[in-house]
Structure formats: C-alpha cells, structure tokens
C-alpha cells in the first residue's frame, strides 16, 4: 500500500523582471495551492540572489524554499503549475528522507570546522625526523 504522505521540499526561483510585488503574489498563490492539498510545514525566503549563470537574459532571481507534507500525486500537479507559470525561472522538488530541513545559506552547518582531518602528533614528528635525515644525507 502506498504511503499517504511524504515529506517534500521545493526550491523555486522567481523572476524579478515584473518586480518583487509580483513575486509576493506568486508566493501566496503557491502557498495556497500547497495548503489546499497538502500540509505546509514552512516557507524559507532566501530572497534576491544572483544566478550562477543568466537564464532567459536574467541575472538575478528571488529564491523561496517550501517545505510540505503531501501525497506523491500532488507533486505532479504542483510542478505542472510551476511549469506553466511564466515568472518561475527554475524549480526543484526533492523528497526529504528524514524530514529535516536544510539550513539557509547564511546559517552555519552543524558540523564545525574543528572536525577537519588533523594529523596525529606522532605523524608530524616522524615527518620532521625524515626531513632532517634527508637533509643530512643530501
């Protein structure tokens, strides 16, 4: 039997050529669409950002991340609506395995930098001793 609901997140990049007011209208439209057939968990506005490369002669886009629980059948209809909306530059929907949301770009990841690979002190000493022997021989 198929699951009734899965956890999804959809990143949408809206065009800014019609202004940020149009982005707000579209954001509300897709929020209502999600709420009508799914359970909206949250919306994370990343805001205006430069695109990695120009798309349809546009260099900036407005990024919005939608997190929601929905039946798999809803995704086809949701993506169809995104696809036919002219002011949507790009979108991507992914299935969240553990239900956790990803941090926003300005948040630091949970694993700190101190977890980077550090050589053991004995390895450093052994390398220094080898270098000294090479200097004496050469």
């Amino acid at each position: 039997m198929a699951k009734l609901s899965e956890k999804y997140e959809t990143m949408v990049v809206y065009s800014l050529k019609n202004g940020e007011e149009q982005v707000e209208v579209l954001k509300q439209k897709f929020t209502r669409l999600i709420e009508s057939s799914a359970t909206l968990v949250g919306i994370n506005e990343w805001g205006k950002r430069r695109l990695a490369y120009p798309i349809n002669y546009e260099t900036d886009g407005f990024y919005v991340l939608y997190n929601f629980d929905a039946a798999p059948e809803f995704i086809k209809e949701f993506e169809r609506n995104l696809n036919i909306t002219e002011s949507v530059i790009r979108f991507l929907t992914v299935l969240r395995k553990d239900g956790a949301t990803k941090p926003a770009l300005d948040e630091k990841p949970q694993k700190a930098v101190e977890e980077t690979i550090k050589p053991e002190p004995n390895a450093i000493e052994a390398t220094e001793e080898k270098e000294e022997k090479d200097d004496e021989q050469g």
Side-chain angles (χ1 to χ4, degrees), residues 39-73:
T39 304
L40 183 66
V41 175
I43 299 173
N44 189 349
E45 275 190 36
W46 289 11
K48 182 180 175 181
R49 298 190 182 262
R50 182 152 313 273
L51 301 173
Y53 53 89
I55 302 172
N56 298 332
Y57 304 104
E58 294 189 54
T59 57
D60 294 320
F62 195 93
Y63 288 72
V64 178
L65 180 66
Y66 298 94
N67 289 298
F68 55 95
D69 298 342
E73 301 81 35

Side-chain angles (χ1 to χ4, degrees), residues 89-103:
I89 298 174
R90 292 282 190 269
F91 65 89
L92 178 66
T93 301
V94 295
L95 179 64
R96 293 180 290 144
K97 291 183 181 179
D98 61 348
T101 59
K102 294 180 180 157

Side-chain angles (χ1 to χ4, degrees), residues 13-86:
V13 182
Y14 294 107
S15 169
L16 289 167
K17 68 181 175 188
N18 295 326
E20 289 193 32
E21 299 81 23
Q22 177 68 20
V23 170
E24 188 61 34
V25 169
L26 289 170
K27 189 179 83 165
Q28 293 303 318
K29 172 188 170 184
F30 288 110
T31 299
R32 284 192 305 275
L33 181 62
I34 292 170
E35 290 173 338
S36 71
S37 300
T39 304
L40 183 66
V41 175
I43 299 173
N44 189 349
E45 275 190 36
W46 289 11
K48 182 180 175 181
R49 298 190 182 262
R50 182 152 313 273
L51 301 173
Y53 53 89
I55 302 172
N56 298 332
Y57 304 104
E58 294 189 54
T59 57
D60 294 320
F62 195 93
Y63 288 72
V64 178
L65 180 66
Y66 298 94
N67 289 298
F68 55 95
D69 298 342
E73 301 81 35
F74 170 73
I75 299 304
K76 286 183 181 179
E77 179 63 19
F78 184 60
E79 288 185 339
R80 185 187 72 78
N81 279 281
L82 287 167
N83 215 13
I84 62 174
T85 303
E86 198 171 310

Side-chain angles (χ1 to χ4, degrees), residues 78-138:
F78 184 60
E79 288 185 339
R80 185 187 72 78
N81 279 281
L82 287 167
N83 215 13
I84 62 174
T85 303
E86 198 171 310
S87 292
V88 173
I89 298 174
R90 292 282 190 269
F91 65 89
L92 178 66
T93 301
V94 295
L95 179 64
R96 293 180 290 144
K97 291 183 181 179
D98 61 348
T101 59
K102 294 180 180 157
L105 290 179
D106 55 348
E107 294 178 13
K108 291 184 179 178
Q110 290 184 356
K111 293 190 177 188
V113 177
E114 64 255 10
E115 292 183 10
T116 57
I117 299 172
K118 295 179 183 176
E120 295 180 19
N122 293 340
I124 294 173
E125 292 170 5
T127 303
E128 289 173 352
E129 289 174 8
K130 184 178 185 277
E131 288 175 356
E132 287 175 9
K133 288 181 183 177
D134 289 344
D135 288 341
E136 291 174 4
Q137 292 176 357

